[in-house]
Amino acid sequence: MSPTWVDVAGGRLGKSRILRGPHPRQVEPLTAAKIAAAAGIGVRGLQVAFRRHLNQTPLEYLRQVRLDRVHRELQASDPGAGATVKAIARRWGYANPGRFTAEYRTVYGRLPSRTLRPDRR
């Protein structure tokens, strides 16, 4: 299981000042400044905390988590019930289907449609 924002910030930032629990679905662009403001620290402090604990920037981590959540949802969804790659990706903040597909394929080595419909060839 991937760490939460709380895990990364740990005791230094205080659990009440950082985004908690499972990562919310993103509906608007999230920036390092917005994350830092939610944590009650500066952007530089946020970057240092993420680099120290995860060896990546906050936005790199967010991209990784969002892609993982899309992957899990694709695995659990039923295309027969109307689930589509485009709709699932859009729910997680991916507005450009081509860019999403390229990123997904780079990480998972297959097209997202193959994950949604593993029995198709």
Side-chain angles (χ1 to χ4, degrees):
M1 184 167 171
S2 61
T4 65
W5 299 108
V6 173
D7 297 330
V8 173
R12 178 169 171 249
L13 301 179
K15 292 181 180 181
S16 64
R17 296 190 302 160
I18 194 83
L19 298 173
R20 293 177 173 255
H23 300 273
R25 289 189 176 157
Q26 185 178 353
V27 294
E28 65 179 56
L30 193 57
T31 65
K34 288 179 184 178
I35 297 168
I41 61 171
V43 172
R44 185 69 185 132
L46 182 76
Q47 291 169 337
V48 168
F50 269 77
R51 187 63 65 193
R52 181 182 312 126
H53 293 285
L54 296 176
N55 198 32
Q56 59 189 162
T57 69
L59 297 181
E60 287 170 341
Y61 177 73
L62 179 61
R63 279 193 294 273
Q64 173 189 325
V65 167
R66 284 176 43 226
L67 193 60
D68 176 65
R69 296 308 194 272
V70 172
H71 179 69
R72 290 180 191 189
E73 193 169 333
L74 288 170
Q75 290 175 317
S77 294
D78 179 7
T84 66
V85 171
K86 185 176 180 178
I88 292 168
R90 187 171 296 276
R91 274 196 298 274
W92 286 97
Y94 289 97
N96 184 315
R99 197 172 291 157
F100 162 72
T101 298
E103 184 177 339
Y104 187 94
R105 189 173 197 171
T106 298
V107 172
Y108 294 103
R110 63 190 303 178
L111 294 171
S113 58
R114 288 287 177 107
T115 301
L116 180 61
R117 297 176 182 88
D119 55 337
R120 293 182 110 190
R121 293 182 185 236

